[in-house]
Amino acid sequence: MRNYRNVFLEIGKSQEEIEKRLYDIFEEIFYGPDKFYETTADGKMGYLVDTGNVDTRTEGISYGMMMSVQLDKKKEFDQLWNWAMTNMYMDYGENKGYFAWSVDPSGRKNSDGPAPDGEEFFAMALIFASHRWGDGQGIYNYSHMAKELLKVCIHHEELYGGHNMWTDDGLIKFVPGLDFTDPSYHLPHFYTLFADNCYKEDRSFWLKAAQASREYLKKSCHPKTGLSPEYGNYDGTPHIVEPGTFGGRHDWFYSDAYRTIANIALNYEWFDKDSEFGKWSRETANNLQRFFYSLPEKDSRGIYEIDGTIVEGKALHPVGLTATIAQASLASDNEYSLKAVEDFYNTPLRTGDRRYYDNCLYLFAFMALSGNYKIWE
């Protein structure tokens, strides 16, 4: 029986208060006045809307599935998965077997390309659903669907042509056809579990991927600030995109990059407390929290080079950043560790057009810090 740390208890909150707050967060996101969860008229499908871009993304649908399985919300899980398989899954073409990363709320695909972070969250959520609720029929045979998806992700070239989502060395790509990565996509804790839940012939690959991502993260996060870039080269250096592509710069610590420390901290909680990578994770979480708490308040939710140099402008998702700084406390042991959790607890959910990304990170952080982001075995 695994024990999961509840950091909110350590700042003096009661178990009853924590459980109610977690329930209220889920209800607000899915059913409250500022919800961004919608269902189709027949109630068979559901989707989280990216309120800043007015689309549905594999990121959000797979996030919603992970939230739902962790919190025992099977109805919402199945609605989301039905949406993904009906409107996002691609059954022909160069990307057959993958999911279109952006789909209009009407169900029309905005893109024929996938984003690998969606696939990895789909697979992990499906594995947990199988273990928590058991397998059903068709697309609700969760374990089978997960195994098939994992197979496609690393054997796409031989199965259908196109491109695999991971390199032969075990590093996840930003998108299958490009030769760089996104540090926040690296989830060694997921890959460790994929190795136990994939087709047996692929077990060694996923174990290799877990180790490759641990080594990559050590290269990608700055040794003094703990910050990582949005996009990265495989040698760990920030990736600089061509001017005018992907919306501008991504070699800095900005929106995508907030997730990197949250992933490192969750991996620490699940697997690496006593390993050398765990020691590095603790140091990195300490460095990142100390960086943010050393800044003047006016600069504390800004844009940064990974060495900490302040760039003009403000964070697009300040609440999400607050959440991930707090989630780092699963691994950190510095003088700001509990303060970061207290500051997060006192921060309300975001409202307005940009609430989707912030509040997804918010719920993940709250689940993790309350001991409710678990391995379902």
Side-chain angles (χ1 to χ4, degrees):
M1 184 75 176
R2 292 174 181 264
N3 292 315
Y4 295 89
R5 184 180 172 199
N6 187 335
V7 190
F8 295 127
L9 293 176
E10 299 172 30
I11 62 168
K13 308 303 177 183
S14 70
Q15 186 64 38
E16 181 181 12
E17 179 183 359
I18 295 162
E19 290 177 0
K20 182 181 184 304
R21 179 74 172 274
L22 179 58
Y23 172 85
D24 288 345
I25 295 166
F26 180 88
E27 287 296 307
E28 181 58 41
I29 288 174
F30 279 74
Y31 299 109
D34 282 321
K35 68 174 182 174
F36 44 94
Y37 183 68
E38 303 290 343
T39 57
T40 53
D42 61 8
K44 293 181 178 178
M45 293 187 285
Y47 50 94
L48 292 177
V49 178
D50 180 335
T51 53
N53 296 288
V54 196
D55 65 350
T56 76
R57 302 184 170 205
T58 52
E59 170 195 77
I61 303 303
S62 62
Y63 280 8
M65 289 169 61
M66 182 61 77
M67 296 166 186
S68 296
V69 70
Q70 292 292 338
L71 300 177
D72 200 19
K73 305 288 186 178
K74 188 174 187 300
K75 180 186 77 171
E76 290 82 357
F77 185 98
D78 287 344
Q79 288 173 330
L80 288 158
W81 182 229
N82 192 3
W83 175 269
M85 287 301 298
T86 301
N87 295 318
M88 293 177 154
Y89 184 74
M90 294 178 283
D91 56 9
Y92 64 90
E94 178 184 1
N95 291 311
K96 181 178 179 179
Y98 293 149
F99 293 81
W101 76 275
S102 173
V103 171
D104 187 83
S106 69
R108 174 184 52 82
K109 292 180 178 64
N110 294 326
S111 169
D112 291 325
D117 62 327
E119 271 72 0
E120 61 185 351
F121 264 86
F122 279 139
M124 193 74 267
L126 288 164
I127 290 165
F128 286 162
S130 173
H131 294 172
R132 185 162 199 183
W133 299 318
D135 289 326
Q137 300 296 315
I139 67 169
Y140 306 113
N141 186 343
Y142 306 124
S143 62
H144 173 74
M145 298 299 290
K147 287 178 180 176
E148 286 294 306
L149 180 54
L150 291 174
K151 177 181 177 180
V152 168
C153 285
I154 60 175
H155 296 292
H156 198 279
E157 292 168 9
E158 60 193 89
L159 291 171
Y160 305 126
H163 302 277
N164 296 339
M165 285 191 166
W166 272 259
T167 69
D168 292 342
D169 294 331
L171 293 173
I172 193 170
K173 302 176 183 179
F174 174 65
V175 297
L178 295 177
D179 195 27
F180 62 92
T181 188
D182 180 324
S184 74
Y185 286 12
H186 287 257
L187 309 175
H189 46 307
F190 281 19
Y191 313 152
T192 301
L193 295 171
F194 288 171
D196 292 330
N197 293 278
C198 65
Y199 291 121
K200 61 181 181 181
E201 58 268 26
D202 293 330
R203 174 177 169 77
S204 61
F205 177 85
W206 290 115
L207 290 174
K208 177 173 69 174
Q211 186 58 32
S213 277
R214 288 181 172 99
E215 294 303 316
Y216 173 78
L217 288 167
K218 288 163 68 175
K219 298 174 184 176
S220 179
C221 295
H222 193 275
K224 293 184 178 179
T225 66
L227 304 180
S228 63
E230 286 201 294
Y231 300 169
N233 299 314
Y234 292 126
D235 64 1
T237 56
H239 179 76
I240 299 174
V241 299
E242 293 295 324
T245 61
F246 300 113
R249 287 187 60 178
H250 296 277
D251 57 302
W252 51 21
F253 181 82
Y254 197 59
S255 300
D256 266 22
Y258 303 167
R259 301 177 295 196
T260 305
I261 195 63
N263 297 333
I264 290 167
L266 188 62
N267 175 75
Y268 180 91
E269 174 69 5
W270 284 8
F271 289 116
D272 272 306
K273 290 179 181 177
D274 300 320
S275 70
E276 281 300 310
F277 185 72
K279 179 180 178 182
W280 172 86
S281 300
R282 187 164 55 253
E283 292 171 352
T284 301
N286 284 334
N287 288 341
L288 183 137
Q289 289 183 331
R290 284 174 174 145
F291 168 73
F292 279 103
Y293 279 95
S294 71
L295 293 169
E297 185 175 353
K298 67 181 180 66
D299 296 325
S300 66
R301 295 297 179 267
I303 305 170
Y304 315 94
E305 306 279 359
I306 66 168
D307 66 0
T309 300
I310 296 172
V311 178
E312 183 178 356
K314 295 296 183 182
L316 186 61
H317 300 288
V319 172
L321 178 52
T322 296
T324 57
I325 293 169
Q327 190 169 331
S329 295
L330 284 176
S332 70
D333 59 1
N334 66 75
E335 64 273 27
Y336 302 111
S337 182
L338 294 184
K339 178 171 173 48
V341 175
E342 183 81 51
D343 289 345
F344 168 57
Y345 198 90
N346 293 330
T347 299
L349 285 162
R350 187 171 184 180
T351 59
D353 290 345
R354 290 290 178 182
R355 66 190 184 279
Y356 151 81
Y357 185 67
D358 291 78
N359 292 346
C360 283
L361 297 186
Y362 192 108
L363 180 49
F364 277 143
F366 205 96
M367 290 194 308
L369 290 164
S370 63
N372 285 291
Y373 202 155
K374 301 177 181 179
I375 298 171
W376 292 93
E377 298 178 282

